[in-house]
Amino acid sequence: EAAVTQSPRNKVTVTGGNVTLSCRQTNSHNYMYWYRQDTGHGLRLIHYSYGAGNLQIGDVPDGYKATRTTQEDFFLLLELASPSQTSLYFCASSDLGVYEQYFGPGTRLTVL
Amino acid sequence: KTQVEQSPQSLVVRQGENCVLQCNYSVTPDNHLRWFKQDTGKGLVSLTVLVHENDKTSNGRYSATLDKDAKHSTLHITATLLDDTATYICVVGDRGSALGRLHFGAGTQLIVIP
């Protein structure tokens, strides 16, 4: 079973704050993804990566940066957090692209 | 525009009853459709994946169908348990490769009461 971990699990920050969400997968998957989940909406893709050093823009990238430092680690950066970024963030990894993604437990971010 | 619509939005059943969740989509192409279970505040766990026209799958008390002509899928849960309380999410992949995108429904919240 693929293992994807996220940290922190909960984070509270203030408007304008700087936040980094971390994701690690230990299954040597090439693909990693960051999503946000909001009530009444399906998960929406923020950024994704094909491998270390690679970054692709997703469907809702505004206000977010990401960096894939190693095959295992994918970070989501909010440099000037806003209340509209209050959400549940999921990381996922895959060896087969979109066909089978394994999801982490999520990080709940609140921006006051 | 939402391309994956799930119904009902929420559903309450008594333990032991059966239930059916619906998923209609407009995603094209539609390479595969997957149902996930999401416990409150937790990650998504895959229940089953459907790939072919008129596909049917079974995974314990969960069974699913896919009609690609109608772009419609159903998830059946038989003899519900309290632990089935969760949100069930329908996801359509437009390709099977890394070039594709996943299109997520907003989910059906199922509550199983004693």
Side-chain angles (χ1 to χ4, degrees):
Chain A
E1 182 70 25
V4 181
T5 56
Q6 294 183 234
S7 63
R9 295 295 314 281
N10 288 282
K11 175 73 177 178
V12 179
T13 190
V14 295
T15 299
N18 194 322
V19 176
T20 298
L21 306 185
S22 302
C23 176
R24 167 165 281 208
Q25 56 94 4
T26 57
N27 292 279
S28 303
H29 287 168
N30 289 322
Y31 308 105
M32 295 186 74
Y33 306 82
W34 276 108
Y35 295 92
R36 61 178 289 172
Q37 184 181 38
D38 303 292
T39 304
H41 293 276
L43 271 72
R44 291 179 286 177
L45 182 65
I46 304 170
H47 290 299
Y48 61 108
S49 169
Y50 293 151
N54 177 266
L55 181 64
Q56 303 293 322
I57 295 171
D59 300 322
V60 289
D62 292 347
Y64 302 95
K65 292 184 179 178
T67 180
R68 180 90 177 267
T69 54
T70 64
Q71 187 171 31
E72 294 79 18
D73 298 302
F74 195 28
F75 300 94
L76 186 67
L77 296 81
L78 292 75
E79 294 181 334
L80 285 171
S82 74
S84 65
Q85 294 176 307
T86 293
S87 188
L88 184 56
Y89 290 87
F90 286 102
C91 175
S93 76
S94 171
D95 201 28
L96 299 172
V98 299
Y99 182 72
E100 187 162 29
Q101 293 186 11
Y102 295 89
F103 287 82
T107 293
R108 184 165 294 284
L109 174 66
T110 303
V111 183
L112 302 175
Chain B
K1 182 181 179 293
T2 302
Q3 296 193 64
V4 181
E5 299 276 3
Q6 292 188 243
S7 62
Q9 235 176 351
S10 63
L11 180 62
V12 179
V13 300
R14 290 203 179 275
Q15 184 176 348
E17 291 180 343
N18 302 335
C19 64
V20 181
L21 283 56
Q22 313 280 352
C23 177
N24 288 287
Y25 62 91
S26 58
V27 178
T28 299
D30 51 348
N31 177 271
H32 63 278
L33 186 148
R34 192 179 292 271
W35 285 93
F36 285 95
K37 178 184 180 186
Q38 183 182 23
D39 291 322
T40 302
K42 301 285 180 63
L44 281 66
V45 176
S46 177
L47 294 174
T48 190
V49 61
L50 303 114
V51 177
H52 305 293
E53 174 63 43
N54 295 321
D55 222 356
K56 289 181 172 61
T57 62
S58 183
N59 177 9
R61 294 179 298 102
Y62 301 103
S63 60
T65 64
L66 174 63
D67 181 342
K68 282 197 172 185
D69 276 346
K71 292 189 179 291
H72 176 75
S73 176
T74 59
L75 177 68
H76 297 248
I77 308 176
T78 59
T80 53
L81 303 172
L82 297 178
D83 281 349
D84 291 333
T85 294
T87 297
Y88 292 83
I89 298 175
C90 172
V91 183
V92 180
D94 55 20
R95 284 173 180 83
S97 69
L99 298 176
R101 281 281 200 275
L102 294 180
H103 302 265
F104 292 80
T108 291
Q109 185 181 24
L110 174 66
I111 299 171
V112 182
I113 59 174

